[in-house]
């Protein structure tokens, strides 16, 4: 039995296993600076004379960037607050307004803090001092001039934006893009192929074109498609570098882990498409190459290679990275990191990028019927030589949890261990550390037994 000691308070590192910490990539620090710059820039959008779009869902900011709009990704705002452990007052405020705790905690945080609290702050009834640092953060988020929703698979996103629309008195223009599920039921269906794929690619691309007309109408300026191509040239190059760097992590020991890719999500998800994005992933790739040359792993004495399924628990990124490192387990890949975010950049034709952008939005892993999605997960597990799967059952994100029992069954059929643990995207109260400790310990023992028997 490995040493198993109770954990300390929520902000301490977990004392578990051998006490080793994750060996994180240093190059990702540049991403932290870019994220801070992005928020600072956003907070001054009004002074810069920019219109502000609030959007939810997939990575459509290049459309805003190309038109010189400022953008707020609802999920990113909630994750930002959660990563800074500033989400709890927002969630309490949301509950007081009647939003159920089972509602998506991204939505609950965004609505609760960035809207309700902002309104209360403005009319002096927030209930916290105006000079409280939390009030300062809330006050900074500029209100929307437009709302755009582009959510594959999950309907919570549309309802979240509908609530936002109502909170602003039904006056902010709203545009909703339907990104339909790829059922995969036709005989010619498969990953990136078949009639359904072609029809739905065109269907989403047509809506994106309609969105540019909506943006034109509400900004009073003509949409610049040359600029969109230019922005996408950076996004496409960054996506290629990211995938090349990820592929290098098939090496043993893996030079980077799922948690390094988690902290690299902001650049491909919502940061501006410019040279900084390319520089960021060039830096990540170079560090990974250098680690391979020197035999340095993301986890000391890597013994087990795991796949992480489920949405990230943003309160716990460092905590979880250390927890797995402490049992010599490297989480080498994940559904959230390795199957989303400009995953097929070769589909993007820079002369006419909209269709390829639509196709990348469609292949969000949740947006495939389960057999195709699970087939793709298994390919990744084979490629990265995965021994076990960790299923983060995020309590309020059903979008990611719906297929998890099928994914775990498939893992077991393919000789991989699987464990479930509870948590949530932006609500720390659902995470149970002791549960994960016990199950991780049991999984490690099973993997050892499996090896001894082989
Ligand atoms: S439930 Fe999950 S997929 Fe749906 S809006 Fe919330 S975080 Fe996104």
């Amino acid at each position: 039995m490995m040493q198993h000691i109770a954990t300390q308070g929520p902000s301490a590192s977990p004392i578990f296993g051998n006490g080793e910490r994750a060996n994180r990539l240093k190059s990702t620090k540049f991403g932290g600076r870019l994220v801070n710059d992005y928020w600072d820039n956003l907070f001054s959008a009004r002074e810069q004379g920019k219109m502000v779009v609030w959007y939810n869902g997939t990575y459509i900011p290049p459309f805003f960037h190309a038109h010189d709009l400022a953008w707020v990704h609802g999920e990113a705002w909630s994750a930002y607050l959660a990563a800074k452990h500033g989400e709890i007052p927002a969630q309490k405020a949301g509950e007081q307004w009647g939003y159920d705790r089972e509602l998506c905690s991204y939505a609950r945080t965004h609505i609760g803090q960035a809207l309700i609290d902002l309104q209360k702050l403005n009319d002096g009834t927030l209930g916290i001092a105006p000079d409280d640092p939390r009030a300062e953060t809330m006050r900074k988020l500029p209100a929307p001039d437009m709302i755009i929703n582009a959510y594959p698979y999950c309907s919570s996103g549309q309802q979240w934006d509908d609530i936002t629309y109502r909170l602003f008195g039904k006056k902010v223009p709203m545009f909703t893009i339907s990104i339909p599920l790829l059922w995969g039921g036709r005989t010619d269906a498969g990953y990136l192929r078949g009639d359904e794929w072609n029809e739905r690619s065109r269907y989403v691309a047509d809506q994106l074109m309609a969105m540019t007309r909506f943006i034109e109408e509400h900004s009073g300026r003509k949409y610049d498609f040359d600029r969109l191509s230019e922005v996408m040239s950076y996004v496409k190059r960054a996506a290629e570098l990211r995938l090349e760097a990820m592929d290098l992590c098939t090496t043993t020991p893996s030079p980077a882990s799922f948690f390094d890719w988690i902290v690299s999500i902001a650049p491909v998800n919502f940061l501006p498409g410019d040279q900084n994005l390319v520089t960021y992933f060039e830096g990540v790739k170079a560090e990974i190459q250098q680690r391979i040359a020197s035999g340095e792993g993301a986890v000391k004495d890597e013994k087990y290679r795991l796949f992480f399924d489920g949405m990230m628990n943003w309160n716990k990124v460092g905590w979880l990275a250390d927890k797995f490192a402490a049992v010599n387990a490297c989480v080498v890949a994940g559904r959230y990191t390795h199957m989303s975010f400009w995953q097929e950049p070769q589909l993007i034709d820079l002369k006419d990028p909209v269709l390829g952008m639509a196709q990348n939005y469609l292949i969000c892993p949740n947006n495939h019927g389960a057999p195709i999605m699970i087939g793709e997960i298994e390919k990744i597990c084979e490629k990265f030589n995965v021994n076990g799967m960790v299923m983060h059952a995020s309590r309020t994100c059903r979008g990611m949890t719906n297929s998890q029992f099928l994914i775990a069954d498939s893992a077991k059929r393919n000789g991989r261990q699987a464990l479930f643990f509870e948590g949530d995207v932006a609500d720390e109260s659902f995470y149970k550390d002791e549960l994960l400790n016990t199950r991780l310990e049991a999984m490690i023992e099973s993997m050892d037994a499996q090896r001894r028997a082989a």
Side-chain angles (χ1 to χ4, degrees), residues 75 104 106-107 151 154 156-157 160 311 366 396-400 425:
E75 297 92 314
C104 163
Y106 276 159
Y151 237 113
C154 176
S156 298
W160 169 3
M311 205 67 111
N366 299 348
T396 69
C397 175
R398 281 142 196 113
M400 280 298 259
V425 290

